[in-house]
């Protein structure tokens, strides 16, 4: 038997995970990848240019809910942290696992991303299997055609 408090906490965690999965603005994009690279490489002049072009880039989130401020904290890039906060990023935002940029396990994938990657891998394997099955079918069809063409050639040679 579980206590009402345990059930409440479990429900709260489940709701938080569902809400995170449903946030359509959390995406892996070219810009999130660029921001990650620039921030983790301490290319702060480039980050400044990106934010000057569009300050809302500081607010972007990748598929797991992490974003520029998470990466700046992880890289211990204090200058980037300041630029991002000045541009509107907030340190109390949570990723898909409910962690903030100050309390997430650095260098580790979120549980959300682990599940997403598992699903993508399963989908890839199913697609690969279907492609292999189609390839075998095509190869068998080509073999049949070759045999038929060979039979015709044999007949032509005997007519000579």
């Amino acid at each position: 038997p579980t206590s009402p408090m345990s059930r409440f906490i479990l429900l709260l965690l489940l709701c938080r995970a569902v809400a995170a999965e449903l946030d359509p603005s959390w995406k892996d994009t070219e810009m999130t990848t660029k921001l990650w690279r620039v921030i983790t490489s301490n290319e702060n002049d480039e980050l400044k240019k990106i934010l000057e072009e569009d300050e809302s880039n500081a607010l972007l989130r990748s598929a797991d809910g992490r974003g520029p401020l998470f990466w700046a904290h992880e890289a211990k890039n204090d200058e980037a942290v300041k630029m991002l906060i000045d541009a509107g990023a907030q340190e109390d935002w949570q990723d898909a696992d409910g962690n903030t940029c100050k309390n997430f396990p650095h260098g580790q994938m979120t549980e959300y991303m682990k599940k997403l990657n598992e699903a993508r891998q399963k989908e890839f394997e199913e697609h690969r299997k279907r492609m292999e099955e189609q390839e075998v079918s095509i190869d068998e069809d080509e073999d049949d055609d070759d045999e038929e063409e060979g039979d015709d050639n044999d007949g032509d040679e005997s007519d000579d």
Side-chain angles (χ1 to χ4, degrees):
T2 59
S3 71
M5 186 58 142
S6 297
R7 285 184 291 212
F8 172 77
I9 291 171
L10 183 61
L11 180 61
L12 181 64
L13 291 172
L14 179 62
C15 288
R16 184 181 296 162
V18 169
E21 288 181 4
L22 298 178
D23 189 329
S25 68
W26 291 6
K27 298 178 185 172
D28 293 329
T29 64
E30 286 183 36
M31 182 52 74
T32 56
T33 300
K34 183 177 184 176
L35 285 164
W36 176 84
R37 182 187 51 76
V38 166
I39 291 166
T40 58
S41 300
N42 291 313
E43 297 176 26
N44 293 325
D45 289 339
E46 181 66 19
L47 177 60
K48 185 177 180 181
K49 288 178 191 173
I50 291 169
L51 296 175
E52 285 173 351
E53 288 173 15
D54 185 353
E55 197 171 61
S56 71
N57 284 325
L59 314 179
L60 293 176
R61 309 283 284 278
S62 61
D64 63 359
R66 294 181 183 170
L69 197 53
F70 281 81
W71 306 321
H73 275 284
E74 184 173 25
K76 295 180 175 57
N77 185 341
D78 295 333
E79 185 179 347
V81 168
K82 182 178 180 348
M83 281 192 273
L84 294 163
I85 290 172
D86 290 347
Q90 298 177 19
E91 291 183 319
D92 62 345
W93 287 343
Q94 297 179 349
D95 67 13
D97 289 345
N99 297 309
T100 68
C101 62
K102 288 187 166 185
N103 75 350
F104 76 101
H106 296 260
Q108 294 182 18
M109 194 180 294
T110 61
E111 290 301 315
Y112 172 82
M113 286 306 293
K114 288 178 187 175
K115 290 176 187 172
L116 184 62
N117 283 342
E118 287 172 6
R120 286 177 179 166
Q121 183 64 30
K122 182 178 178 185
E123 185 178 306
F124 171 78
E125 289 299 325
E126 290 170 357
H127 179 72
R128 185 183 57 75
K129 185 177 178 183
R130 285 192 304 270
M131 293 299 289
E132 286 177 353
E133 289 169 356
Q134 289 176 356
E135 187 175 300
V136 167
S137 176
I138 290 170
D139 287 347
E140 288 173 356
D141 291 344
E142 287 177 359
D143 289 344
D144 292 343
D145 292 344
D146 290 345
E147 288 175 12
E148 290 173 11
E149 289 174 11
D151 291 343
D152 290 343
N153 288 341
D154 288 342
D156 288 344
E157 288 175 9
S158 62
D159 290 341
D160 291 335

